[in-house]
Amino acid sequence: MSDKQPAAQQVDPALAADTDAPTPPQDVPSQLVETQKPSLFARIAGGSIGLSIGAALAAFIVGGLLIAVTDPATQAASRYFFARPLDTLAAGWSAAYDSYVALLQGSIFNPNGRNFTQQIRPLTETLTVATPLIFAGLAVALSFRAGLFNIGAQGQIILGAIVSGWVALNAGLPVIVMVPLILLGGIVGGAIWGGIIGVLKARTGAHEVILSIMMNYIAANLLVYLLKTPLLQREGSSNPISEKLGENALFPLLLGPQFRLHAGFLAALLAVAFVWWLLNSSTVGFRLRAVGANPNAARTAGISVASGYIVVMALSGALAGLAGAAQVAGTEKVLSTGIAASLGFDAITVALLGRSKPVGTFFAALLYGAFRAGGVSMQVSTGTDIDIVLVLQALIVLFIAAPPLVRAIFRLPDPTGAPRTKKKKSASKAVEAAA
Amino acid sequence: MKLELRKVTKRFGDFTANDSIDLTVTPGTVHCLLGENGAGKSTLMNVIYGLYRPTEGQMFIDDQPVEFSGPSDAMAAGIGMVHQHFMLVPVFTVAENVALGAESIKGATLDLESTRKKIREISDRYGFQVDPDAVVEDLPVGVQQRVEIIKALVRDAEILILDEPTAVLTPAETDQLLGIMDQLRKDGKSLLFISHKLREVREISDDITVIRRGKVVGHAQPTMSTTELASMMVGKNVQLTVDKDAAQVSDKVFEVKNLTLMADNGVPLLKKVSFEVRGGEILAVAGVQGNGQTELAESIIGLHPKATGSLSLNGTELLGMSTKQVLRSGVGFVPEDRSKDGLIGSFSISENLVLDLFDSPEFSSAGTLNRSKISANADRAGTEFDIRMGSKEHTASTLSGGNQQKIVVARELSRDLQLFVGSQLTRGVDVGSIEFIHKRIVQERDKGVPVLIVSTELDEVYGLADRIAVFLHGELMGIVPPTTPRSVLGQMMAGATYEEALAADTEHSEASSGSAAKTQVTESAPRAEGEENER
């Protein structure tokens, strides 16, 4: 021991001197070889907040152009564009401006309302519409963080709706017991449906995208089938629809009977907090993030990747199932074939816009809720088609996905790493020889 | 052709990778660029090869200023590059690979005949022994490298850049490469040789330029001692040999019996491997990569559930346990590829330091991580293992290779160990960190822990080992004392038993130096297919 001590001290001063440099100079070159290259998917899902905001803004600009171009008044003015070009521009501007104002008024605050209730109703509508999107968005975001692409939120929502709907229709208990029971039904239904995907992936290595798409079909048809059996079908009806839910099985309204906002929104807030804790502070979340970020290193550190897949898919499914419960007992009050609408797919875009982070997903869901709520009043008051809202949603995702694409085309350096795109250029000529 | 760099500077943002580098490579010489990992060697090569544009400064070829907008310009100007990672298409033949990018066409068909002719010419001239019709993936690594050199020569390269060419070679292959470089030099080519392996540098170089942190810190002569060169490279006195006392054997013991592992395609990766490591000694596994060493290490920590045989640690059977159980029973493991298996690049440094302990009572309670303890652990490990980091909350990918490796080593050595298994502990690690890591391993040994080291670096093997195990094609060729000469070890790695190798070596030293070629021809073609399949 004694002869080693001086040697250690001999090293120390030189090393200590090096720590003065604020950034170790070795970093950039070493990244050229050392850094794990984030996958395209990781870069899309893990973009910065600036990217999300920028994408939304760019979508609004392009959307505004589309509104202007499709506006009848603008089109009329464009016929004499070369005589009076300003007419066309003015018409186009006012069309886009009016539409967006209507969208805003329809989703947040309507100053033309006769009383405060009517003025504030748009905001509560936005929150109501956003509630299932928050649950489903969290579901997809959670799977993203574990490196899985859960396309199956749609099916998990449907299963959540089936189980919670069945509970709501059959358990005649007081509302205080019913609400948690219905939520639990959603959790169980969704978790089973998601868990199946997780088990299949972990045991057989099948890809979760294929599995979850197929599970979506099965869920949709299972719902149609069940709605035609005495188990769920309304007595005396030939349509695939259930009985209306009883008063005891409905989520309590938060702001009284003149608004639709229900207790499901509070549950969604709790879910946001839960997922935040799960991802940032829990051991389970650590394991899931490790599996998602680098399964090889996770395995080497003794983390079971297979059980990670099962756990994350069950958790993701449970969250999606809650969206189904919120639909049944919160807004729809009946189980029908259209109970999940396109929530499961919107959830993917919500999670992308929210950068797979719980709070981000929450705000992204609010934005989508606002689109939905405001779109209706926009169509009524300005005649702009509500489908423009879908175009806006699609554009946002397109712009979020575009930066890597744009960087690839122009060979710009990747802001997350070192300037390695140029190295790839030479490598692309020939595949690396296996050593 | 003479290559000259005058005040070449390359910056990435605020960071200066190369700071006004002056360098001249004269025809008929081998000029070595010596520097640690991260010193800026590769960046400079990429500048010369046209992959990066210099921020400032000018390059001259035969005193004419040149500017490249891409590798094709550099190639046209007579610069050829042999990359560290080969740029070859494995399923193509040698001729197809050489023709790639400069195919000659006869009518609508590819004319490979002219390429074949050129390959044969070059091959005969320099004694490459490369068959133009061999499929590249069937060739040994050393021959694949020659294909890379041929690629450059076919394009009439007069200036050849070799980027750490010996990193992937066996000692015998390395000697052959040095021979080839010597011939090229005699033929009047200008060679720029990048390396941090001092022995080779001293053997082949005419001039040595040492760079550190992007700056030229001096010129050295090949006659200088390795210690002097290393000190120049690192900027401080380094100890190249590992200081250790004789092994004090403890009662701990790790026994491997008949360990066998088959790849999914039935190819054996490990064949009835048996040996034991006693507490307080270091057993170093030597051998060319892809001969089962990786699988051996991974089998020990339970990453290959299909392995059969027995792995007994102080009487406890490890085989059949999950990786977590193995780690928790006191096995420390450093995987050979830290960025792939050892670290999560997007996780913070403190998270990486608890990657295998995050759910232990020490760092969590009731399913919630104890952030303050994890953070305190990072502070402790950072100081103890001298991990140089801006902040412990930065992601691990922002660190240099040496510091990343220190994270892995720190994590594994921070537990109370019954066995330590480490693969390629110092690969891509700077000299200063190598010294430190070696010291820690010896400390662990002196605590009485059995230590198993896998390394392709003979210097490391000799520096650390109390005994050396040699692997070939998944078989244990023998366990030899660390006093065994390098040449004997090299022959064992190519398939000779200890006795054969020893006999051949004695014979060799009696005969003239030329007869060394005899054993060098018995080149093996180690392949890592099984390893890929296994994952």
Short mmCIF file of all heavy atoms in Angstrom, two decimals, chain B residues 5-45:
data_model
loop_
_atom_site.label_atom_id
_atom_site.label_comp_id
_atom_site.label_asym_id
_atom_site.label_seq_id
_atom_site.Cartn_x
_atom_site.Cartn_y
_atom_site.Cartn_z
N LEU B 5 0.51 21.27 -43.70
CA LEU B 5 -0.57 22.02 -43.07
C LEU B 5 0.04 23.24 -42.41
O LEU B 5 1.06 23.13 -41.72
CB LEU B 5 -1.24 21.17 -41.98
CG LEU B 5 -2.44 20.32 -42.37
CD1 LEU B 5 -2.00 19.28 -43.39
CD2 LEU B 5 -3.00 19.63 -41.15
N ARG B 6 -0.55 24.41 -42.68
CA ARG B 6 -0.04 25.60 -42.02
C ARG B 6 -1.15 26.24 -41.21
O ARG B 6 -2.16 26.65 -41.75
CB ARG B 6 0.47 26.60 -43.07
CG ARG B 6 1.82 26.19 -43.62
CD ARG B 6 2.40 27.25 -44.53
NE ARG B 6 3.26 26.63 -45.53
CZ ARG B 6 3.50 27.13 -46.73
NH1 ARG B 6 2.94 28.27 -47.10
NH2 ARG B 6 4.29 26.50 -47.55
N LYS B 7 -0.94 26.31 -39.94
CA LYS B 7 -1.86 26.98 -39.01
C LYS B 7 -3.31 26.55 -39.20
O LYS B 7 -4.21 27.38 -39.25
CB LYS B 7 -1.76 28.52 -39.17
CG LYS B 7 -0.37 29.07 -38.99
CD LYS B 7 -0.23 29.80 -37.65
CE LYS B 7 1.18 30.14 -37.30
NZ LYS B 7 1.88 29.12 -36.51
N VAL B 8 -3.53 25.25 -39.34
CA VAL B 8 -4.89 24.77 -39.55
C VAL B 8 -5.64 24.76 -38.21
O VAL B 8 -5.18 24.20 -37.22
CB VAL B 8 -4.89 23.36 -40.18
CG1 VAL B 8 -6.26 22.73 -40.08
CG2 VAL B 8 -4.45 23.44 -41.62
N THR B 9 -6.78 25.43 -38.22
CA THR B 9 -7.61 25.52 -37.03
C THR B 9 -9.01 25.04 -37.38
O THR B 9 -9.52 25.36 -38.44
CB THR B 9 -7.68 26.98 -36.54
OG1 THR B 9 -6.37 27.41 -36.25
CG2 THR B 9 -8.54 27.10 -35.30
N LYS B 10 -9.58 24.22 -36.50
CA LYS B 10 -10.96 23.80 -36.70
C LYS B 10 -11.74 24.03 -35.42
O LYS B 10 -11.36 23.55 -34.36
CB LYS B 10 -11.02 22.31 -37.09
CG LYS B 10 -12.41 21.76 -37.25
CD LYS B 10 -13.13 22.33 -38.45
CE LYS B 10 -14.62 22.04 -38.41
NZ LYS B 10 -15.34 22.80 -39.45
N ARG B 11 -12.80 24.81 -35.55
CA ARG B 11 -13.64 25.06 -34.37
C ARG B 11 -15.03 24.50 -34.59
O ARG B 11 -15.56 24.57 -35.70
CB ARG B 11 -13.75 26.58 -34.14
CG ARG B 11 -12.48 27.19 -33.62
CD ARG B 11 -12.73 28.58 -33.04
NE ARG B 11 -11.45 29.26 -32.90
CZ ARG B 11 -10.90 30.01 -33.85
NH1 ARG B 11 -11.55 30.24 -34.96
NH2 ARG B 11 -9.71 30.55 -33.67
N PHE B 12 -15.61 23.98 -33.51
CA PHE B 12 -17.04 23.65 -33.50
C PHE B 12 -17.67 24.57 -32.48
O PHE B 12 -17.51 24.37 -31.29
CB PHE B 12 -17.26 22.20 -33.09
CG PHE B 12 -16.64 21.20 -34.00
CD1 PHE B 12 -15.51 20.50 -33.63
CD2 PHE B 12 -17.18 20.96 -35.26
CE1 PHE B 12 -14.93 19.57 -34.47
CE2 PHE B 12 -16.61 20.04 -36.11
CZ PHE B 12 -15.48 19.34 -35.72
N GLY B 13 -18.35 25.59 -32.95
CA GLY B 13 -18.91 26.54 -32.01
C GLY B 13 -17.77 27.18 -31.22
O GLY B 13 -16.81 27.67 -31.78
N ASP B 14 -17.89 27.12 -29.89
CA ASP B 14 -16.87 27.70 -29.03
C ASP B 14 -15.66 26.79 -28.88
O ASP B 14 -14.60 27.20 -28.44
CB ASP B 14 -17.44 27.92 -27.61
CG ASP B 14 -18.46 29.03 -27.62
OD1 ASP B 14 -18.44 29.80 -28.59
OD2 ASP B 14 -19.25 29.10 -26.67
N PHE B 15 -15.87 25.54 -29.24
CA PHE B 15 -14.85 24.55 -28.95
C PHE B 15 -13.82 24.47 -30.08
O PHE B 15 -14.19 24.33 -31.25
CB PHE B 15 -15.50 23.20 -28.73
CG PHE B 15 -14.53 22.08 -28.63
CD1 PHE B 15 -13.66 22.01 -27.57
CD2 PHE B 15 -14.46 21.12 -29.62
CE1 PHE B 15 -12.74 20.98 -27.47
CE2 PHE B 15 -13.56 20.09 -29.53
CZ PHE B 15 -12.69 20.02 -28.46
N THR B 16 -12.55 24.59 -29.73
CA THR B 16 -11.49 24.50 -30.73
C THR B 16 -10.91 23.09 -30.71
O THR B 16 -10.26 22.69 -29.75
CB THR B 16 -10.37 25.51 -30.42
OG1 THR B 16 -11.00 26.79 -30.25
CG2 THR B 16 -9.39 25.59 -31.56
N ALA B 17 -11.19 22.34 -31.77
CA ALA B 17 -10.72 20.96 -31.84
C ALA B 17 -9.27 20.92 -32.30
O ALA B 17 -8.49 20.09 -31.85
CB ALA B 17 -11.60 20.15 -32.77
N ASN B 18 -8.92 21.80 -33.23
CA ASN B 18 -7.55 21.90 -33.71
C ASN B 18 -7.15 23.36 -33.65
O ASN B 18 -7.86 24.21 -34.18
CB ASN B 18 -7.42 21.41 -35.16
CG ASN B 18 -7.67 19.92 -35.28
OD1 ASN B 18 -8.32 19.47 -36.22
ND2 ASN B 18 -7.18 19.15 -34.34
N ASP B 19 -6.01 23.62 -33.02
CA ASP B 19 -5.61 25.00 -32.83
C ASP B 19 -4.29 25.25 -33.57
O ASP B 19 -3.24 24.78 -33.15
CB ASP B 19 -5.45 25.26 -31.32
CG ASP B 19 -5.35 26.74 -31.02
OD1 ASP B 19 -5.32 27.53 -31.98
OD2 ASP B 19 -5.29 27.08 -29.83
N SER B 20 -4.37 25.95 -34.68
CA SER B 20 -3.24 26.27 -35.57
C SER B 20 -2.17 25.18 -35.60
O SER B 20 -1.08 25.31 -35.05
CB SER B 20 -2.63 27.63 -35.24
OG SER B 20 -2.07 27.66 -33.98
N ILE B 21 -2.55 24.12 -36.27
CA ILE B 21 -1.67 22.95 -36.39
C ILE B 21 -0.73 23.12 -37.58
O ILE B 21 -1.18 23.44 -38.69
CB ILE B 21 -2.50 21.66 -36.59
CG1 ILE B 21 -3.50 21.47 -35.46
CG2 ILE B 21 -1.60 20.47 -36.82
CD1 ILE B 21 -3.05 20.60 -34.34
N ASP B 22 0.54 22.95 -37.36
CA ASP B 22 1.52 22.89 -38.44
C ASP B 22 2.00 21.45 -38.55
O ASP B 22 2.32 20.82 -37.53
CB ASP B 22 2.73 23.79 -38.13
CG ASP B 22 2.36 25.26 -38.20
OD1 ASP B 22 1.65 25.61 -39.14
OD2 ASP B 22 2.78 26.01 -37.30
N LEU B 23 2.07 20.97 -39.80
CA LEU B 23 2.43 19.57 -39.98
C LEU B 23 2.97 19.40 -41.39
O LEU B 23 2.38 19.92 -42.34
CB LEU B 23 1.18 18.71 -39.79
CG LEU B 23 1.34 17.21 -39.75
CD1 LEU B 23 1.87 16.78 -38.40
CD2 LEU B 23 -0.02 16.55 -39.98
N THR B 24 4.06 18.70 -41.52
CA THR B 24 4.58 18.44 -42.86
C THR B 24 4.88 16.95 -42.99
O THR B 24 5.57 16.37 -42.14
CB THR B 24 5.87 19.22 -43.12
OG1 THR B 24 5.64 20.58 -42.78
CG2 THR B 24 6.28 19.13 -44.58
N VAL B 25 4.34 16.33 -44.03
CA VAL B 25 4.63 14.93 -44.30
C VAL B 25 5.42 14.88 -45.60
O VAL B 25 4.90 15.25 -46.65
CB VAL B 25 3.34 14.10 -44.44
CG1 VAL B 25 3.69 12.63 -44.49
CG2 VAL B 25 2.39 14.38 -43.29
N THR B 26 6.66 14.44 -45.51
CA THR B 26 7.49 14.41 -46.72
C THR B 26 7.43 13.03 -47.35
O THR B 26 7.27 12.02 -46.64
CB THR B 26 8.95 14.77 -46.38
OG1 THR B 26 9.28 14.18 -45.14
CG2 THR B 26 9.13 16.26 -46.29
N PRO B 27 7.57 12.97 -48.69
CA PRO B 27 7.50 11.69 -49.38
C PRO B 27 8.57 10.74 -48.86
O PRO B 27 9.68 11.16 -48.54
CB PRO B 27 7.76 12.05 -50.85
CG PRO B 27 7.45 13.49 -50.95
CD PRO B 27 7.73 14.09 -49.61
N GLY B 28 8.20 9.48 -48.84
CA GLY B 28 9.16 8.47 -48.40
C GLY B 28 9.35 8.41 -46.90
O GLY B 28 10.33 7.85 -46.42
N THR B 29 8.42 9.00 -46.15
CA THR B 29 8.54 8.92 -44.70
C THR B 29 7.20 8.53 -44.08
O THR B 29 6.15 8.68 -44.70
CB THR B 29 8.95 10.26 -44.05
OG1 THR B 29 7.93 11.21 -44.32
CG2 THR B 29 10.28 10.75 -44.60
N VAL B 30 7.29 8.04 -42.87
CA VAL B 30 6.09 7.81 -42.08
C VAL B 30 6.07 8.87 -40.99
O VAL B 30 6.99 8.97 -40.18
CB VAL B 30 6.09 6.41 -41.43
CG1 VAL B 30 4.89 6.25 -40.51
CG2 VAL B 30 6.10 5.33 -42.48
N HIS B 31 5.02 9.67 -41.03
CA HIS B 31 4.90 10.72 -40.04
C HIS B 31 3.81 10.32 -39.07
O HIS B 31 2.69 10.04 -39.47
CB HIS B 31 4.54 12.04 -40.72
CG HIS B 31 4.67 13.23 -39.82
ND1 HIS B 31 5.51 14.27 -40.10
CD2 HIS B 31 4.08 13.52 -38.65
CE1 HIS B 31 5.43 15.16 -39.12
NE2 HIS B 31 4.56 14.72 -38.23
N CYS B 32 4.16 10.27 -37.82
CA CYS B 32 3.16 9.82 -36.86
C CYS B 32 2.54 10.99 -36.12
O CYS B 32 3.22 11.91 -35.70
CB CYS B 32 3.78 8.87 -35.85
SG CYS B 32 2.60 8.40 -34.60
N LEU B 33 1.22 10.92 -36.03
CA LEU B 33 0.50 11.90 -35.23
C LEU B 33 0.11 11.19 -33.94
O LEU B 33 -0.69 10.27 -33.94
CB LEU B 33 -0.73 12.36 -36.00
CG LEU B 33 -1.44 13.60 -35.49
CD1 LEU B 33 -0.53 14.80 -35.59
CD2 LEU B 33 -2.69 13.84 -36.32
N LEU B 34 0.71 11.65 -32.87
CA LEU B 34 0.54 10.96 -31.60
C LEU B 34 -0.31 11.83 -30.68
O LEU B 34 -0.07 13.03 -30.56
CB LEU B 34 1.92 10.72 -30.99
CG LEU B 34 2.04 9.92 -29.71
CD1 LEU B 34 1.62 8.49 -29.95
CD2 LEU B 34 3.47 9.96 -29.22
N GLY B 35 -1.26 11.25 -30.06
CA GLY B 35 -2.08 12.02 -29.13
C GLY B 35 -3.07 11.12 -28.44
O GLY B 35 -3.39 10.04 -28.93
N GLU B 36 -3.57 11.57 -27.30
CA GLU B 36 -4.55 10.80 -26.56
C GLU B 36 -5.87 10.80 -27.30
O GLU B 36 -6.08 11.58 -28.22
CB GLU B 36 -4.80 11.46 -25.19
CG GLU B 36 -3.70 11.30 -24.21
CD GLU B 36 -4.17 11.84 -22.88
OE1 GLU B 36 -4.05 13.04 -22.65
OE2 GLU B 36 -4.66 11.05 -22.09
N ASN B 37 -6.79 9.97 -26.82
CA ASN B 37 -8.14 10.05 -27.35
C ASN B 37 -8.71 11.40 -27.02
O ASN B 37 -8.60 11.88 -25.92
CB ASN B 37 -9.01 8.98 -26.72
CG ASN B 37 -8.72 7.64 -27.31
OD1 ASN B 37 -9.06 7.39 -28.45
ND2 ASN B 37 -8.05 6.80 -26.56
N GLY B 38 -9.33 12.01 -28.03
CA GLY B 38 -9.92 13.31 -27.78
C GLY B 38 -8.93 14.45 -27.93
O GLY B 38 -9.25 15.59 -27.64
N ALA B 39 -7.71 14.15 -28.38
CA ALA B 39 -6.72 15.22 -28.55
C ALA B 39 -6.98 16.01 -29.82
O ALA B 39 -6.44 17.10 -30.00
CB ALA B 39 -5.32 14.64 -28.56
N GLY B 40 -7.80 15.48 -30.71
CA GLY B 40 -8.10 16.18 -31.94
C GLY B 40 -7.48 15.55 -33.17
O GLY B 40 -7.48 16.14 -34.24
N LYS B 41 -6.98 14.30 -33.01
CA LYS B 41 -6.36 13.63 -34.15
C LYS B 41 -7.37 13.35 -35.25
O LYS B 41 -7.13 13.67 -36.42
CB LYS B 41 -5.77 12.29 -33.69
CG LYS B 41 -4.56 12.39 -32.81
CD LYS B 41 -4.19 11.01 -32.29
CE LYS B 41 -5.32 10.46 -31.45
NZ LYS B 41 -5.08 9.19 -30.81
N SER B 42 -8.47 12.77 -34.86
CA SER B 42 -9.45 12.38 -35.87
C SER B 42 -10.03 13.59 -36.58
O SER B 42 -10.27 13.57 -37.78
CB SER B 42 -10.57 11.56 -35.23
OG SER B 42 -10.05 10.34 -34.81
N THR B 43 -10.24 14.67 -35.82
CA THR B 43 -10.75 15.89 -36.44
C THR B 43 -9.78 16.38 -37.50
O THR B 43 -10.17 16.73 -38.62
CB THR B 43 -10.94 16.99 -35.37
OG1 THR B 43 -11.70 16.44 -34.30
CG2 THR B 43 -11.65 18.18 -35.94
N LEU B 44 -8.50 16.36 -37.15
CA LEU B 44 -7.49 16.83 -38.09
C LEU B 44 -7.49 15.96 -39.35
O LEU B 44 -7.40 16.46 -40.46
CB LEU B 44 -6.11 16.81 -37.42
CG LEU B 44 -5.00 17.49 -38.21
CD1 LEU B 44 -5.30 18.96 -38.39
CD2 LEU B 44 -3.66 17.30 -37.53
N MET B 45 -7.62 14.64 -39.16
CA MET B 45 -7.66 13.75 -40.31
C MET B 45 -8.84 14.06 -41.20
O MET B 45 -8.74 14.06 -42.41
CB MET B 45 -7.80 12.29 -39.83
CG MET B 45 -6.58 11.74 -39.21
SD MET B 45 -5.12 12.15 -40.14
CE MET B 45 -4.44 13.42 -39.11
#
